[in-house]
Amino acid sequence: MTEAAAEPGSAHSARHRDRARRARTAVRLTGYAGLASVRAARPVRAARRWSRRLPPMVGDALLPVLLLLNIMTTRAPRELPVAVVLTAALALPLVWRRRAPLTVFGAVAAAAFVQWLMDVPLPADVALLVALYTAAANSGRRGTLVAGAVVEGGALLACLRWATGGAFLTPFVAVTAMVVAAAVLGVNVRTTRAYLAALEERAARLQQQQDQQARLAVAEERTRITREMHDIVTHNLSVMVALADAAVYAQHRSPDKATTAMLQISETGRQALTDMRRSLGILRTGEPDAERHPLPGIAQLQTLADQMCAAGLPTRVEVRGGHIHVPATAQLTVYRLVQEALTNTLKHTPAGTHAKVRIRCSTETVTVDVTDNGPCPPPPDAAPSGHGIPGMRERSAAYGGKLQAGPLPGGGWRVRTRLFLGSSGAASA
């Protein structure tokens, strides 16, 4: 009973081994077939690469050579001279078909007409179809229609003369179909070539536009950095120079004031370094210093006024309206405008001048008004090498404002502008 139970299991194992053996054999044969196909495809790819390196005239000369070899091996010796001359006249011009397609077509058509007059049918008549295809691929609609009409007329004459057994319609329809196919193929090639040329031109134009936009973005960023550095460096250096002069003046009479002025110079220098790191940190992604020190805004104007007072320019700040809704970039613009206006007043007015800053905030606009009571207006800051007033005008124009800078009727100087916080201003910024 045990042997009987073991026999089915052994048969099952044998069938399983046979199935596994056949599967391995099939996989091995498939691998051999794939390897053989890869090895067979290598000469084809090598031939393609080799053919692409050859000049186009070499490929164009292949058909004339084959036609001449066919005539020389199939014609009788007494017919050979005429057949060779006519075949050469029909086929050899195809070598130059890419350079002068219409001229080559005319030469082939003339040779075909001479052949028809001499009543010598030749397989080289296929050169007419090749010439028609080339003319359709390289000329306009009128040239294609004229060439097609000429070939179709020749097909009619050839079928009338050389049709066998009186069967004219069948060969004429066949030849007409080949003429139409050659012309349509040439037109399609010309259309595809024009489409690809348009795509290449469009891609080149888009690339040029992208390059121009990149250059404009770089120029705008460079202008912004220059404007920021000018405001930071000019303001802080002016304050430091004024404080240094005050410290030198007070070092003997009031050492305590001189010490205070020197400490303020140090603080101003550190503030300038912080502003520069903050402004440059905006350009670098993930700069931690830019996150630790937010951009200055309207809330920092009082600190700026205290700094100007320490430098010798008493300044009073008046802010009306809430400025919490004003975007950070607009607040930075307001701060830089006030900073530049006060710096110009500090540089160009004598001691005893007072300045007043008025900021009026609304839901749509922010008005900036900086005045001083200097005895004479400062010289214009719009010199070719200056960036003060032009930079202020650019900052104001970014929010749709027009900067007004000029002397007051009763003496002093005034800088006034209005920034628009609407969609136009934000888009401009």
Side-chain angles (χ1 to χ4, degrees), residues 276-312:
M276 291 182 66
R277 285 195 299 267
R278 179 172 51 226
S279 298
L280 296 177
I282 296 174
L283 306 177
R284 297 190 290 267
T285 304
E287 179 69 25
D289 190 70
E291 298 178 359
R292 290 199 303 266
H293 302 283
L295 296 174
I298 298 176
Q300 284 73 36
L301 288 179
Q302 186 58 50
T303 303
L304 177 64
D306 296 339
Q307 190 180 39
M308 300 305 297
C309 291

Side-chain angles (χ1 to χ4, degrees), residues 305-330:
D306 296 339
Q307 190 180 39
M308 300 305 297
C309 291
L313 177 64
T315 305
R316 186 162 59 93
V317 177
E318 178 184 329
V319 179
R320 295 183 180 179
H323 60 273
I324 300 177
H325 69 281
V326 180
T329 54

Side-chain angles (χ1 to χ4, degrees), residues 220 227 329 394-401 420-429:
E220 291 178 358
R227 190 166 57 233
T329 54
E394 292 177 3
R395 290 183 184 276
S396 179
Y399 285 89
F420 295 90
L421 306 179
S423 59
S424 61
S428 302

Side-chain angles (χ1 to χ4, degrees), residues 36 77 84 103 123 126 163 171 203 217 248 289 304 327 347 365 383 386-387 420:
V84 169
T103 303
V126 71
V248 171
D289 190 70
L304 177 64
K347 290 193 301 182
T365 63
H387 298 280
F420 295 90

Side-chain angles (χ1 to χ4, degrees), residues 64 67-68 71 82-94 108 111 122 124:
L67 292 175
L68 288 173
I71 289 297
V82 176
V84 169
V85 171
L86 291 177
T87 301
L90 285 168
L92 286 181
L94 297 179
V108 174
L122 293 171

Side-chain angles (χ1 to χ4, degrees), residues 20 28 57 61 69 84 112 115 139 155-156 159 185 198 206 241 291 325 349 369 393 401:
R28 191 179 298 110
M57 292 185 65
L69 290 176
V84 169
Q115 171 206 358
S139 62
L156 177 62
C159 290
L185 184 60
L206 289 177
V241 169
E291 298 178 359
H325 69 281
T349 58
D369 194 350
R393 293 188 190 279

